[in-house]
C-alpha cells in the first residue's frame, strides 16, 4: 500500500526585496512568465506527481493568492483531493504566524485530519520543475526523519545560500548553515556545495515532535530552515536529496536541474530573460510535465498594421493570449494577457504584466511594468536611469520597476 502523503506549501512570504511588485500581494502571487503566478510552479510539481492533498499556508496580503488558488486549483472532491489556502487562524493564541515552523505548529489540525505517513513541506516562490515522488521514495528508503533537497552550486557562492554540509557518505547532513563564508566542498566535488532549495520531506511523527519542541523555545525564530532542520541535523536524523538525481519527464540536458530563487527584482527579471532564449534554460514548452494555471477566455494574440515603420511585430519574445501588438515593435520581452503596444512604440527587454498599455511612440527598455500600468504617448522608460530613479524603483542592475497603479509621467 502506498504511503499517505500530505503536502504543505509555505506561501506566507512578505517578499520585501520584490517591492513594489509585492506592495499589494504576497510574493507567491506575483505573476511570472506572462500567464502564471509563482505559486503555480510548486503546485504543478505536486499535482503532476499525483500528490493531490495540498494545503497552502498564507498570511501576508493573501487575497489575490487565495483568489487565484480558489479559482484555478480545483480538484476532484469525489476522490477526496483538494488544494486549499489556509490563512493564519490564531489557533494557539492571539498571534499570527511567527515563522514557517510556527505556521505548521498552528496548523497541526490539518495534519491530524489527514493522518499522513509523511509530510512534504515546500516553498511557494521558486521557479523550477521537480518530480517530488522521487524525493519521497528516497526519504522513505533512507529512514531519516527529514530529507532536504539540495542543489549543487559553486563553492564560491556559498555565502549566498543556506548551505548543507554532508558527511563522508554524501547523504547524512552534518551541518546546516546560513550563508557561511568558510563552507567546505562536497566529498565527491570539493569545488561544489549543496544549497538548500527550501524543500523538505518529513516523517510525520518527527515533524510534529520537532515543531512542538521548537514552539516551547521562546528564543527560537521558529523557522523551518533556521530552527527545525538544524535540530534534526544535531540528532543525526537529516539526509540530503541531490536535485541532480531528479528526472523530470520531458526535460532536456539544458533545462535539467533548473531552479531559481526569484526573491529580488534582478533575479526575477533575469529568470524572465531565460525564458525567451531560442533554447530556453527553463522550458515552458515541456508538455510532459506542464505548468498549470487559470486560463481566462482571452482571444489569441494579435499583430496588426503593416505600413512603413508602423508594423506590429514581436521578436525573441513570448506573447500571451489577448495581447495586441498594434504597429509597435516588441523585442526580447515577456508580454502578459491584455497588453496593448500601440503604433511606433518600442519595447525591448521588458516584462509587461496583464493590462499594460504602451502608448504611441513610447520607449520601454529593461523594465518591469506591473498590472494595468499605462505608459502615455511619447514617454520613455529605461532610457535615462537618473531621471527614472527620481520617479520609480530602479534595481541594482538598472532594471526600472513600476508598481501596479503607479502613474507614469510623459
Amino acid at each position: 500500500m502506498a504511503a499517505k502523503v500530505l503536502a504543505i506549501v509555505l506561501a506566507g512570504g512578505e517578499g520585501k526585496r520584490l517591492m513594489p511588485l509585492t506592495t499589494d500581494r504576497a510574493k507567491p502571487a506575483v505573476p511570472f512568465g506572462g500567464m502564471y503566478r509563482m505559486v503555480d510552479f510548486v503546485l504543478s510539481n505536486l499535482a503532476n506527481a499525483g500528490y493531490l492533498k495540498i494545503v497552502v499556508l498564507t498570511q501576508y496580503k493573501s487575497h489575490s493568492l487565495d483568489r487565484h488558488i480558489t479559482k484555478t486549483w480545483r480538484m476532484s472532491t469525489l476522490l477526496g483531493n483538494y488544494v486549499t489556502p489556509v490563512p493564519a487562524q490564531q489557533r494557539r493564541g492571539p498571534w499570527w504566524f511567527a515563522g514557517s515552523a510556527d505556521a505548521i505548529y498552528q496548523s497541526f489540525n490539518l495534519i491530524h485530519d489527514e493522518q499522513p505517513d509523511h509530510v512534504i513541506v515546500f516553498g511557494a516562490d521558486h521557479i523550477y520543475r521537480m518530480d517530488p515522488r522521487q524525493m519521497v521514495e528516497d526519504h522513505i528508503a533512507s529512514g531519516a526523519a527529514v530529507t532536504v533537497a539540495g542543489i549543487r552550486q559553486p563553492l564560491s557562492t556559498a555565502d549566498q545560500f543556506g548551505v548543507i554540509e554532508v558527511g563522508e557518505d554524501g547523504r547524512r547532513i552534518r551541518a546546516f548553515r546560513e550563508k557561511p563564508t568558510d563552507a567546505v566542498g562536497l566529498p565527491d566535488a570539493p569545488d561544489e556545495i549543496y544549497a538548500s532549495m527550501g524543500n523538505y520531506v518529513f516523517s510525520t511523527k518527527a515533524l510534529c515532535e520537532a515543531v512542538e519542541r521548537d514552539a516551547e523555545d521562546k528564543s527560537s525564530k521558529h523557522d523551518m530552515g533556521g530552527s527545525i532542520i538544524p535540530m534534526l541535523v544535531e540528532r543525526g536524523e537529516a539526509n540530503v536529496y541531490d536535485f541532480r538525481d531528479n528526472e523530470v519527464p520531458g526535460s532536456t540536458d539544458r533545462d535539467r536541474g533548473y531552479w531559481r530563487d526569484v526573491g529580488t527584482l534582478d533575479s526575477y527579471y533575469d529568470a524572465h530573460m531565460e525564458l525567451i532564449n531560442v533554447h530556453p534554460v527553463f522550458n515552458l514548452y515541456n508538455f510532459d510535465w506542464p505548468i498549470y494555471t487559470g486560463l481566462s477566455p482571452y482571444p489569441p494574440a494579435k499583430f496588426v498594421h503593416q505600413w512603413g515603420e508602423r508594423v506590429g511585430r514581436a521578436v525573441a519574445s513570448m506573447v500571451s493570449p489577448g495581447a495586441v501588438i498594434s504597429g509597435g515593435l516588441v523585442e526580447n520581452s515577456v508580454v502578459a494577457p491584455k497588453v496593448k503596444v500601440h503604433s511606433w512604440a518600442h519595447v525591448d527587454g521588458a516584462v509587461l504584466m496583464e493590462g499594460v498599455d504602451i502608448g504611441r511612440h513610447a520607449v520601454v527598455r529593461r523594465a518591469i511594468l506591473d498590472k494595468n500600468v499605462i505608459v502615455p504617448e511619447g514617454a520613455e522608460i529605461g532610457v535615462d536611469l537618473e531621471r527614472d530613479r527620481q520617479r520609480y524603483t530602479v534595481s541594482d542592475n538598472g532594471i526600472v520597476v513600476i508598481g501596479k497603479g503607479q502613474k507614469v509621467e510623459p
Side-chain angles (χ1 to χ4, degrees):
M1 184 176 179
K4 291 181 63 178
V5 176
L6 173 68
I8 297 177
V9 174
L10 301 173
E14 186 174 355
K16 291 182 179 179
R17 295 181 300 166
L18 276 177
M19 289 286 189
L21 304 182
T22 49
T23 300
D24 193 44
R25 57 169 81 92
K27 182 180 174 184
V30 173
F32 185 87
M35 302 193 307
Y36 308 94
R37 304 272 186 148
M38 285 191 195
V39 73
D40 289 328
F41 291 81
V42 64
L43 294 179
S44 295
N45 287 328
L46 293 167
N48 284 326
Y51 296 129
L52 303 177
K53 296 180 187 294
I54 307 171
V55 294
V56 183
L57 303 187
T58 66
Q59 179 160 253
Y60 173 81
K61 296 182 180 178
S62 63
H63 173 65
S64 62
L65 178 61
D66 294 341
R67 182 179 59 193
H68 174 73
I69 292 171
T70 302
K71 291 175 61 178
T72 302
W73 287 93
R74 292 176 167 266
M75 297 294 183
S76 170
T77 55
L78 179 66
L79 301 177
N81 302 326
Y82 56 85
V83 179
T84 184
V86 180
Q89 301 175 69
Q90 299 192 355
R91 284 180 171 267
R92 300 283 180 169
W95 56 81
W96 303 114
F97 295 153
S100 53
D102 184 56
I104 293 176
Y105 178 65
Q106 292 198 44
S107 305
F108 267 180
N109 62 299
L110 305 172
I111 298 174
H112 294 153
D113 288 347
E114 284 298 334
Q115 294 293 306
D117 301 310
H118 305 279
V119 179
I120 294 172
V121 180
F122 278 15
D125 46 18
H126 298 139
I127 306 302
Y128 67 110
R129 275 191 178 88
M130 178 184 189
D131 183 352
R133 290 172 300 192
Q134 296 167 34
M135 184 175 173
V136 171
E137 291 167 0
D138 182 87
H139 170 76
I140 293 173
S142 73
V146 63
T147 299
V148 183
I151 183 169
R152 291 174 180 251
Q153 297 290 333
L155 177 62
S156 60
T157 65
D159 60 355
Q160 302 175 30
F161 300 101
V163 173
I164 302 164
E165 296 183 359
V166 295
E168 290 302 318
D169 64 354
R171 294 293 309 281
R172 190 68 64 179
I173 302 175
R174 63 178 181 83
F176 190 94
R177 299 195 292 158
E178 189 67 28
K179 299 181 179 179
T181 57
D182 58 347
V184 179
L186 299 176
D188 65 343
D191 58 342
E192 293 180 340
I193 50 97
Y194 279 131
S196 173
M197 297 170 61
N199 290 355
Y200 317 109
V201 177
F202 289 89
S203 298
T204 302
K205 181 180 178 182
L207 172 64
C208 292
E209 289 178 351
V211 169
E212 283 185 313
R213 180 180 172 187
D214 176 73
E216 297 171 357
D217 182 359
K218 302 306 180 184
S219 65
S220 173
K221 294 182 179 179
H222 308 299
D223 180 70
M224 292 302 295
S227 307
I228 303 302
I229 302 305
M231 181 192 305
L232 295 174
V233 167
E234 187 176 344
R235 296 184 191 175
E237 298 176 353
N239 270 16
V240 68
Y241 174 75
D242 192 340
F243 185 49
R244 184 180 62 177
D245 296 334
N246 198 259
E247 294 287 343
V248 175
S251 65
T252 65
D253 289 339
R254 181 165 174 76
D255 69 356
R256 182 178 290 111
Y258 180 95
W259 176 84
R260 292 291 183 272
D261 180 353
V262 288
T264 67
L265 293 171
D266 286 323
S267 62
Y268 177 85
Y269 178 84
D270 291 344
H272 276 87
M273 295 302 103
E274 289 173 342
L275 296 176
I276 57 177
N277 290 333
V278 175
H279 300 292
V281 184
F282 184 76
N283 182 18
L284 284 173
Y285 300 88
N286 178 356
F287 299 111
D288 293 331
W289 197 269
I291 305 301
Y292 299 104
T293 194
L295 297 176
S296 299
Y298 296 135
K302 184 166 69 171
F303 303 80
V304 294
H305 296 309
Q306 188 175 0
W307 176 71
E309 295 183 359
R310 191 187 184 195
V311 179
R313 61 205 188 278
V315 182
S317 300
M318 297 174 60
V319 181
S320 302
V324 178
I325 313 301
S326 176
L329 171 61
V330 175
E331 299 180 281
N332 311 304
S333 299
V334 177
V335 178
K338 296 176 66 178
V339 167
K340 293 182 180 178
V341 179
H342 294 279
S343 296
W344 300 290
H346 186 193
V347 176
D348 188 5
V351 178
L352 306 182
M353 297 189 194
E354 184 171 333
V356 167
D357 191 292
I358 309 296
R360 290 187 171 200
H361 299 285
V363 176
V364 178
R365 296 177 183 164
R366 287 173 52 80
I368 303 169
L369 274 55
D370 207 338
K371 293 177 66 174
N372 300 321
V373 168
I374 297 175
V375 180
E377 182 172 348
E380 293 184 343
I381 297 170
V383 176
D384 184 346
L385 289 183
E386 290 307 313
R387 181 173 181 267
D388 289 336
R389 285 191 178 93
Q390 298 173 13
R391 305 181 179 194
Y392 318 117
T393 299
V394 178
S395 75
D396 292 341
N397 291 347
I399 307 302
V400 182
V401 186
I402 302 179
K404 182 165 48 172
Q406 191 171 352
K407 184 178 179 180
V408 176
E409 299 181 13

